[in-house]
Amino acid sequence: MGDVLWALSIPVLVGAAGLYAVGAAWWRRRHPAPPSPYTHQAARLAERAALAGAERIVDEAYGTLGPLYDGQPGPAHRAPARHVGAAS
């Protein structure tokens, strides 16, 4: 008799888990969670932080490399590169 009870407990357990899953799904459909007000605010704050970081990087780069671009003319013509050892 003990073996029969163990064998029957498995389908009962599976059936109970199925009923629980159906009930939980029904409850979630009938009572959805309200939308969180913090998601959009957090996204805006992260966007502002990323923009401030990018502006800081650009400002530092311009401060460091700016003299290279302040009205200095580039070479008028570059000579083509010669390949050493190339057969002509």
Side-chain angles (χ1 to χ4, degrees):
M1 184 74 178
D3 293 337
V4 173
L5 289 177
W6 279 110
L8 292 177
S9 68
I10 294 171
V12 169
L13 182 64
V14 170
L19 287 175
Y20 178 80
V22 168
W26 175 84
W27 183 263
R28 274 187 256 123
R29 275 198 314 264
R30 299 297 189 273
H31 304 89
S36 175
Y38 300 107
T39 54
H40 293 294
Q41 181 182 5
R44 282 194 304 268
L45 291 174
E47 182 180 342
R48 287 182 193 152
L51 183 61
E55 287 176 349
R56 182 184 48 79
I57 290 170
V58 169
D59 290 342
E60 288 177 6
Y62 185 76
T64 303
L65 302 174
L68 296 175
Y69 298 103
D70 287 339
Q72 295 180 357
H77 178 68
R78 284 190 150 178
R82 296 184 66 179
H83 299 287
V84 178
S88 301

